Amino acid sequence: MEYSALSIVDIQAGLAAKIFSAYELAEAAFAAIEARDPQVHAFLELTPELAFAAANRVDVALAAGESCGILAGVPMAFKDNMNQMGTHTTCASRMLESYVSPFTATCVAKALEAGALPLGKLNMDEFAFGSSTETSAFGRTFNPWDLERVPGGSSGGSAAAVAAGMATVTLGSDTGGSIRQPAAFCGVVGFKPTYGVVSRYGVVAFGSSLDQVGPFGKTVADVAATLDAIAGRDPRDCTSQESATIFSANLEQGVKGLRIGVVPAFMDAEGVDPEIISATKGALANLEQLGAQIVEVELPNAAAAMAAYYVIGPCEAFSNLSRFDSVRYGYREGGARDLGEQYEQSRAHGFGPEAVRRIMLGSYLLSSGVYETYYYPAQQVRTLITSDYVRAFEQVDAIITPVSPRTAFKFGEIADPTSMYLSDMFTISINIAGNGGLSLPVGPGEKTGLPVGVQIIGPQFKDQNILRVASALESCYSIARLAPLGTGPVGTSSARPPEQTQPHEGGAL
Ligand code: GLN
């Protein structure tokens, strides 16, 4: 069986039938990483000891006939802004280069409790500021579909690791589009659920009122199962919500009778490539074919979302990043004559240019006299956008939009920050309103031949609607989710894992 092609269901079935062991899955995962990550550079750190130890626990439990978690034996990796005890959590910044997590984020802990095999930590834009993973202080990640192009961002490593067949599922975070846009660029499924579905505890904060954790996978079912493992109320994050929903429950229900919204203003927005619009129209036609009714809805204030985001986001980032003061946390530059100089030099040199830009912007926007002019109106705009979505969802069950105005761009192609910010024109309003949004591959684009995603948005806390629509739509496409980098069968590892501590059955991979 080909490791890279395995879904969570395949892994569960293969383990149950003793076709392979969790240990062999870990071996196959590191072999795939060894073969492909030199080209892709999705990983910042590998954690084979942790993965093989987890695999052994799964194999022992299975051999004893114990029931295992949803993610038992699933090779998984985490964005490098998620604390995992004993690993570096750098946020792809010099500022945190030597920081080793003394605790584990709830989303990571839940995945591990569900039996996932932690392969390592994934590259990202520095502190999640960006749309291309080019701002990482530790080198860029390459799009597995075209190594001259960006994987998107900020969770570029999370998307590329799945597209290159190195991890079965990964976690990313999304403040303005950072799960959905890289998923679209890399041709995989990426889901930002409603704000509050997944605990943010232990995820290094960017914009606390906007940040949300979510999964990447090759299929909608993989993403739903991963969300089942990580969702739920966490006393350590007061914004997290109790979840009675089983996200993977309604996937087969189809869309017959559902009302699907389309926003005319988005479909002829300026600066959007025709191939993106045509792929989005194709998705709408497919949904109609499957029995959904397409309804036009208006989001009159959505055009102001970008402006509101680039006020609220930097203000929250400025506040959150103040903890990296070189005293309690972070890079410390030697040779300062006093504390003021130490702060100044350490922060000036520990943070990259985009982080500095956001911090300076947030600091200015929150200063007295300026606050009333920008921050306060931005919050009012936020309320208007949120009410737009509430009104739209009185008419429809889900809304379809593009994810990104174009397919993956080349390294360095978008050099000015404002053009880069426009990458998120279709994703940002969803973070502003707090709703869930999923990126589903519907490409390749007719002009570029690169992956294209459509975004499926749902009412707040109706994330199962989104997954149901996504699953139905997914069945209309038979496009490859794995980029054609060299792949090999499971069980042909050349990487020597640490000593195996438990016997295992299987071996037929
Ligand atoms: N690209 C957006 C930004 O730079 C969103 C990033 C994110 O979602 N973390 O702010």
Side-chain angles (χ1 to χ4, degrees), residues 290-365:
L290 293 171
Q293 188 190 343
I294 310 298
V295 179
E296 290 195 351
V297 290
E298 304 293 335
L299 298 168
N301 299 290
M306 184 75 71
Y309 175 86
Y310 278 101
V311 175
I312 297 167
C315 288
E316 294 188 9
F318 160 70
S319 161
N320 277 320
L321 269 58
S322 63
R323 76 192 57 162
F324 305 113
D325 60 1
S326 78
V327 177
R328 269 190 313 163
Y329 297 104
Y331 167 81
R332 182 183 302 176
E333 190 143 299
R337 280 166 304 184
D338 54 36
L339 185 61
E341 204 173 282
Q342 183 186 310
Y343 285 151
E344 205 176 296
Q345 290 179 355
S346 302
R347 283 172 68 84
H349 300 141
F351 289 124
E354 186 59 31
V356 168
R357 187 174 295 120
R358 306 276 174 127
I359 292 168
M360 299 296 279
L361 189 56
S363 153
Y364 170 72
L365 292 168

Side-chain angles (χ1 to χ4, degrees), residues 15 20-28 48-49 51-60 63 491 493 495-507 509:
L15 288 173
F20 45 72
S21 65
Y23 195 91
E24 286 172 314
L25 286 166
E27 282 183 319
E49 314 74 32
F52 283 104
N56 279 325
R57 280 195 295 276
V58 170
D59 286 334
V60 168
S493 167
R496 269 337 302 156
E499 202 55 22
Q500 189 177 346
T501 54
Q502 297 293 336
H504 64 83
E505 297 177 64
L509 286 160

Side-chain angles (χ1 to χ4, degrees), residues 128-131 154 174-178 206 309-310 358 424:
F129 302 138
S131 305
S154 64
D174 187 314
T175 307
S178 274
F206 162 179
Y309 175 86
Y310 278 101
R358 306 276 174 127
D424 300 310

Side-chain angles (χ1 to χ4, degrees), residues 4 20 115 121 137 147 162 167 179 201 220 232 258 262 289-290 310 335 348 359 456 458 465 479 481:
S4 297
F20 45 72
K121 307 293 284 292
L147 298 171
V162 172
I179 290 175
Y201 175 74
V220 174
L258 287 191
V262 55
Q289 198 90 52
L290 293 171
Y310 278 101
I359 292 168
I456 305 165
N465 279 16
I479 41 178
R481 301 288 159 85

